[in-house]
Amino acid sequence: MKDTTIEIRWHGRGGQGAVTSAELIAMAAIAEGEYAQAFPSFGPERRGAPVLAFNRIDNANPIRARSSVINPDIVAVLDPGLLYITDVVSGLKQNGTLIVNSPKSLVDIKSEFGGPWKLAVVNATAIARELLGVNIVNTTMLGAVVKATGIIKMESLVEPIEERFGARAKRNIDACAKAYKEAEIAEPVAVRARQKREFQVEKWPAWQELLPGCVVIEAGSASQYRTGDWKSQHPESDYSKCIKCGLCYIYCPEGCIVPKLGEEGFFEADMYYCKGCGICAQECPKDVITMVEES
Amino acid sequence: MVKNRVSMEGSLAVAEAAKLARTDVVAAYPITPQTHIVERLAQLVADGELDANYIPVESEHSAMSACLGSSAVGARTFTATAGQGLELMHEVLFVASSSRLPIVMVVANRALSGPLSVWGDHSDVMAARDCGWIQIFAENVQQAFDLVICAFRIGEDPTVLFPVMVNIDGFHLSHVIEPLYLLCQEEVDKFLPPYKYPYALNPDKPVSIGAFGMPNIYTEAKKSQDMALRASKNVILKTWQEFGKLSGRNYLPVETYKVEDAEVLLLTMGSFSETAMIAIDALRERGEKVGLIRLRLWRPFPLEEFQKAVAKAKLIIVLDRALSFGRPTGPVCSEVQAALYPLKTKPEIVSFVGGLGGRDISAATFENIIRNGMEKAKSGRFDELEMIEVRQ
Amino acid sequence: MEKVITMEKNEVPFEEYLAPGHRACTGCGEMLAVRLIAKTLGDDVIIANATGCVEIVSSPLPTTSWRVPWIHTLFENTSAVASGIEAGMKAMTRKGRYSRKTKVVAMGGDGATADIGIQSLSGALERMHEFIYICFDNEAYMNTGVQRSSATPFGASTTTSPAGKQSIGQMTWKKNLPAIVAAHDIPYVATACPSYPLDMINKVEKAMKVKGPAYIHVLSVCPTGWHSQSNATINLGRLAALTGIFPLYEIEQGRYKLNVDPAQLSPIEEYTKLQGRFRHLPPEVLASIQERVTDEYVKLKKKAAEV
């Protein structure tokens, strides 16, 4: 039997709605009479953490595979920051499609992430902010995905979005349509752009390496985990206004605001861990700290 | 009078063993027919004869949970339960074994509700079969005493670190008075070194116990646990050998009785085995080539020993004291079938279930079971499980 | 001398015993509370942690966020595990095999404490084990996706007490767990919130000095489950106290004392309007909540006035 299945991998952050994107695509495809599935990858990571969601769509045969998508035909990236912390094109098929949400121009993105795949760029965050008032790009990104791949018809999304969003459906459909209009597309190039960052390959222990009961003897070893990758905004401080009260240090849920090196009494956030919650900026009595969008 | 020969109820013998093992913590909830064990331990603590903390918990779930805590902090820990109590502990049993905490527990085996029955059978332990504990069966009061002492040493061995369950039949062992050869404190101290948990909760060297496992590590965790449990058999064998040197009483994973030339083997577990021996003797006197196999070690299943013990027989008659509802067969019989299936030449297997909810099985009934089993084998009725002595 | 950070006249221990890099949601009030409490408890502690958000985000094998001895076993049994740790330590101390005066601390969420674990909690309190139990109350089963618990407040919409045409959300009033705990006649019970960090730290220090069990009930703002902004976490905790919805008090040897007692309670809308879980509530329901909150606060004040 000829393989007719199209596979999509969604990269998002917990709370951004990547799972919803996948679900809406599947619902639309099923409404068109195709076979489709949508499913999340379950992990312990929470709001803000990188998460994955998957689709399979097939216009000929029922879908039997239930395992994660390893070699996607389409990769959609909902958060610009994820491009720099995850190897989003991992396993992407030759002549597949990469769709990214980024404020950068197509030319810039192509210079960083171009390769033997079709590339689509849309500033979904700006569209969502404008039309929805929030930085949730799940419906907006659908417009760009449909434009770049034609995997479903735009009008097929209307009903699923109405069902899911009720009174807010109209605005979401508008955002989706705007992204369809604004998404810019570049054709595949033969050579992959050089990567700026080596992505860490997770290493998992063999069974013989586990201690009895899987006891962990290295205290605090989870501190190797870079939760700083979760943030979509980061704090910046104007120390001239700082009264060294220490409230930012106290109120940080990550415990990542630490005494500033060499400057007695000042504090600064460790970007390796800062998730960008904004509590320090909110609670600072002297407005020392402002939150700045990640670029 | 022989030195150290006393008369003692099975439950008290178990308590005495826990005392001689210098148990640090007992956490238990009373349930028939286990009560005499924990009452005795509470009294020993109250009288200052056992220097331990007795935690009178509010449920069996909490009993086993408290055992997790005390064992993890490095205290030698003992508990006992039965029937419904073991079931209420069920989820905690898995944590004890996967956390590799060498708690020792005696189960006074009891039927499961409903209808409510406080009386003995093996439904409780069979439902806990796959909980990852080392599981051992005693057949009399002396064995209950000996095997509890051995259980501490086996479980606490640094290469083992598994909880150990010693099964004694409810009432038939827990409430019977028999002669017992005690060991003195000095002998037990020599045999059983002090408990030292290598990964104990201690601020000097902070560890995390019970971290959670993503799909990409859980399988490795289980493999590691299974390999370790299977490997524990070597320590069990060694421990029982050394105990034999100390006491003159020898224990094996698979015990036999008159099997040398036996063509037909009866398989039993627990206290009914001794009654079955009477039947074997009677049939032997009439020239029948019958013998008895008693599974002492239930987990880890002693596969090689078992295959060897039954290899020459033509027929095995298995008596289960529990049902597997909807069965292909009884829980022990299923294991026996699985253990023998890979062999090229193997005995036929006939399955019986009896002794449920405290129903007695006499020597005469065992004779009937064996004869009936041989009949069935002759007529090729291997696929039916028969519940014995059921009123029609 | 332990290193401290000085805040006005107060000193906060500098050392972090909960390492950064935990996987909690952005703006998590619960992990903030855990972090500050862990600082206060110091290094001579053993923690027993119930299944829940704190456990999951802090212990992904093969790593741990904990720098103090820590054990997680199950959801409903943490008080029993702590009982065993305490008893084991006592026996070993008596027998000369343990020489520290380690504090045993049990932690659980509101589900682990008020619902599934209330039996083991009650048992451990009744047996008077020397341990501190800390309930991190984020007012629903957040770890599994915001299902209602008996600690979910009246009117809150959760995934299993959803607002709908026939429902205003949670239709029962929040279980008064501190009162249930206090009924065990234990020496120290307190409510706390990391929005009042020094008050909370002070309470943990008191609990550490108590002989017998101590209980601290910590309101833990959950941006994910409450549908609030991640930077509003501290403010929401503050408003919970100032509206009287979650009053901060202590019960020492059965005697009540209010720690934050505004001259005039703020209207509850100041608190509810910042949270999506209350967004659906019509004015008459809000009014009935206001009435109940005011009434409960009056009763609490009366208790605090008794000698």
Side-chain angles (χ1 to χ4, degrees), chain B residues 24 51 53 91 204 208-209, chain C residues 64 72 76 94-95 100:
Chain B
D24 294 314
D51 186 4
N53 281 49
E91 67 161 348
D204 289 334
S208 289
I209 300 175
Chain C
T64 178
H72 156 255
E76 68 277 49
R94 210 169 47 240
K95 295 179 176 187
R100 287 172 167 274

Side-chain angles (χ1 to χ4, degrees), chain B residues 23-25 51 53 55 57-59 61-62 65-66 68 70 73-74 91 202-204 206-212, chain C residues 43-44 56 59-61 64 67 69-72 74 76-77 80-81 84 87 92 94-95 97-98 100 119-120 127:
Chain B
T23 295
D24 294 314
V25 171
D51 186 4
N53 281 49
I55 316 178
V57 285
E58 80 295 337
S59 74
H61 196 284
S62 283
S65 299
L68 299 179
S70 62
V73 83
E91 67 161 348
N202 188 317
D204 289 334
V207 298
S208 289
I209 300 175
F212 87 96
Chain C
D43 63 357
D44 201 1
I56 285 285
S59 74
L61 272 174
T64 178
R67 291 172 174 151
W70 177 90
I71 181 169
H72 156 255
L74 293 162
E76 68 277 49
N77 68 344
V81 174
M92 288 160 65
R94 210 169 47 240
K95 295 179 176 187
R97 280 155 47 209
Y98 198 84
R100 287 172 167 274
Q119 174 183 315
S120 75
R127 294 189 300 270

